[in-house]
Amino acid sequence: MMMTSTLSAKEQSLSRIFSDDYVFTIPSYQRPYSWGAEQARELLEDLLDYMKAAGGKLDEMSPYFLGSIVLIKREAVSDTTVVDGQQRLTTLTLLLSAIRANVSDDDVRAGITKCIYEQGSVVFGTEARYRLSLRERDRDFFRQYVQHADGIEKLVGLNDKLPDAQERLRENAQLYMLALAKLDQETLIRLVQFIVTRCYLVTVATPDLDSAYRIFGVLNSRGLDLSATDILKAEIVGSIAIAKRDAYTVKWEDLEEDLGRDAFGDLFSHIRMVYRKAKPKGTLLKEFRDHVGPSDPVAFIDQVLEPMAQAFREITDADYSSQKHAESINQTLRWLNRIEFKDWLPPALAFFSRHRNDPTAMLGFFLDLERLAYSMLIRRSGVNERIDRFASLTKAVETGTDLFALDSPLQLSRVEQYAMYQALSGPLYEVFSSRALAVILLRLDGLVSGGGATYEYDTITVEHVMPQQPRPDSCWMEWVPDAKDRLQWVHRLGNLALLTRKKNSAANNYDFDKKKAAYFTKGGVSPFVLTTQVLQHGKWTLAVLEERESQLLAVLEAHWRLQDRQSPQSRAMASAAAQAASGDSPVFEIVSEKQNLHARAREVDGKFIVLAGSTARLEWVGQPHGYQALRQELIDAGSLGLAQGGNFEFPQDVPFNSPSSASAVIFGRPDNGRTSWVLKATGQTYAEWDEGTPAGMDSSADDDGQRPVGARQELFRRFWKQLIERSLAHTQLFANRNTTTDHWMSLGIGRAGFSLCVSVTQVRSRAECYIRFTNDDERSLHAFEALQAQRAAIDGAFGGALEWQSLPGRSGSRICTDMPGGWRLPEGQWPQLQDKLIDAITRLDTALREPIQKLEI
């Protein structure tokens, strides 16, 4: 099929691909061989499964397509440069070599060799040559250990340390040799016949590099295995004038090789965030095209990519060089790099690339960036909060805002300082993951050691000094006899130490002297100052715990400048400010004397927070449900622990997405939390409180059981009237809707059984798709589950994680997103809430309309 006079696309069997028609060369600028064991295994399993399912004669089988490859090749000339497709061609050659090594028939082996290696001919005057030549640095290795007849047997037994690409060839060769050795000779012969005669590639050939660059990105949408940076390279470098293109190809590839392929991809994600300053709502490729461009590819590479790549390498390697402050800056960068989340990198790149020649400014910025990042780690800020905060900081960097002003996004507010202090002085071991806790304690150890300590151990763990469950006859019971004191102190900072080995559950209960000698040291020495402090004590009493905790907290407070650290009165004021800022709801309760359950919770910023000390049932007793998995995750994370009364207990506050998920975890079964959680003072259920109705009343009724009238009716009518008017500039969803006196408004989505809805309650609002087929609950559930099977794609199209609620015990299901703010807001703040609802329901419609139309139910 001819596409243009210079571009051809053909479906060709591998017997033609590995024939005299082609002599493939992988140019040196291509990335190294990168397919791992998973991709290699998937290829072989797919081929075997297809061959087995097809059965019958080979020539009657339907073709099996392996994808597309992009080539630079002139008509009637065999020399071919591979622009894209080297992973498939290399792995197919490796697989053929492995089959050759396992087949005993000499004719079959010779036939396979002909696919790998073209014999020279005196008659035709041709020289012997390989069908495929890899990049120059891997070419000889591939010939010796894959293409030569006896090579692959040597490769699988090779013990040398190899470069990454060659190591992947060895691993995949070992995988293939092991898998093929299990097949009988008949199957092996049928497999190689199937590969050569019934497997096809689409070859897209163009005579020059310029044409190849143009089609390289286009074909990605048709199935080529390209990374986002490969496509961006094709688009950006391909749009540069031919005279400069080779030089910028080399510059691009030098940057990629310097950082490494994975890190180079990460860099593009961070550059996207520098420009986007918001949570990604699409793929890296789409968002980069939409928000970065670039309009001038040469300027982008010279002025953005190159300086950002240099900054990224120096930041991630902690390798900043300067005549002043260099070591202090690099030390701070090392501590930042230990944090698992990397949301701090975009503002770091923006600042570094602008101010790298001002070491004093660099030191001040990165010290405060470390403070902010560790505060968000310690306060367990969610990903959305982190993205928003660091996006604000990036914007402040770009606009030249005073970053050290009190209201700068780089600085901690008084409330944030208080929250950070509260978290540090609480039961750290129960609250944080093992990785996060190790990072926090390592940072503290570095401060206690004077700041110069570095840690490169493979294993670093956190251990209790006083064990969680000491033996009745142990010294621990003598030193801290009160069970309440042990419970209060066992997980706190004063009782924690660092080890360079994995945990030993038996050693945890050793007496103090034995634990110090046999567990906390190696040869009588510990590399950690925190642990050395423990070794200096002869007894581990309550007084020792209190003093150590106070000293360690003071170190962290001083380093992170936590305000008013010597003033309990100021802390109390900050606590009040924190509660006022959070907009906490009243405290709801679940009480079950029969099951010995007592739980307390409140709603904060759209999250339903179960408070520390609440109890939960010991076992899951209901039908299998997603909440059961959530419950197990909390148990595994230590957010639900065994209590003395025989139930589980929440050792710290735990946020949930809804009252129902919280009550289900507590009761050990699916539950409607909107009716289970009750206000003790008024008797209102959560649902009644949420919608502003008295206890015992339907949420749609007023005090006399009638529809809302008077002020409430007028309030809803006014709210929806304003929303409809504001929506017209953005969407037609509300174009034919009339205002209503309900707290909700429904919209069509083009198919019976599905309806969109926006709603407002006192303090929360929602955009949802409700699924309900009248008198057909089974069909309703089937429709919900069919959409849920596409959850990843739908969430991606929406631009964030939706809540998928099957609503057990009810006739329908919902897919929704909630947001803080409701009709109790001052009317002057309604427009912002209305805009959020309009945006959310519009994105929900975009994400769901097509999948709903295509459902077969």
Side-chain angles (χ1 to χ4, degrees), residues 10 33 49 94 123 198 209 226 239 303 327 375 416 430 485 499 519 575 722 758 801:
K10 302 176 183 177
Y33 178 66
D49 289 346
L94 183 68
V123 174
R198 304 310 298 161
L209 183 62
L226 309 175
S239 62
Q303 300 171 22
E327 183 48 41
S375 175
E416 289 168 339
E430 286 189 311
D485 288 336
L499 303 179
Y519 191 34
S575 174
Q722 293 176 18
V758 287

Side-chain angles (χ1 to χ4, degrees), residues 62 549 733:
S62 299
E549 172 113 343
L733 283 175

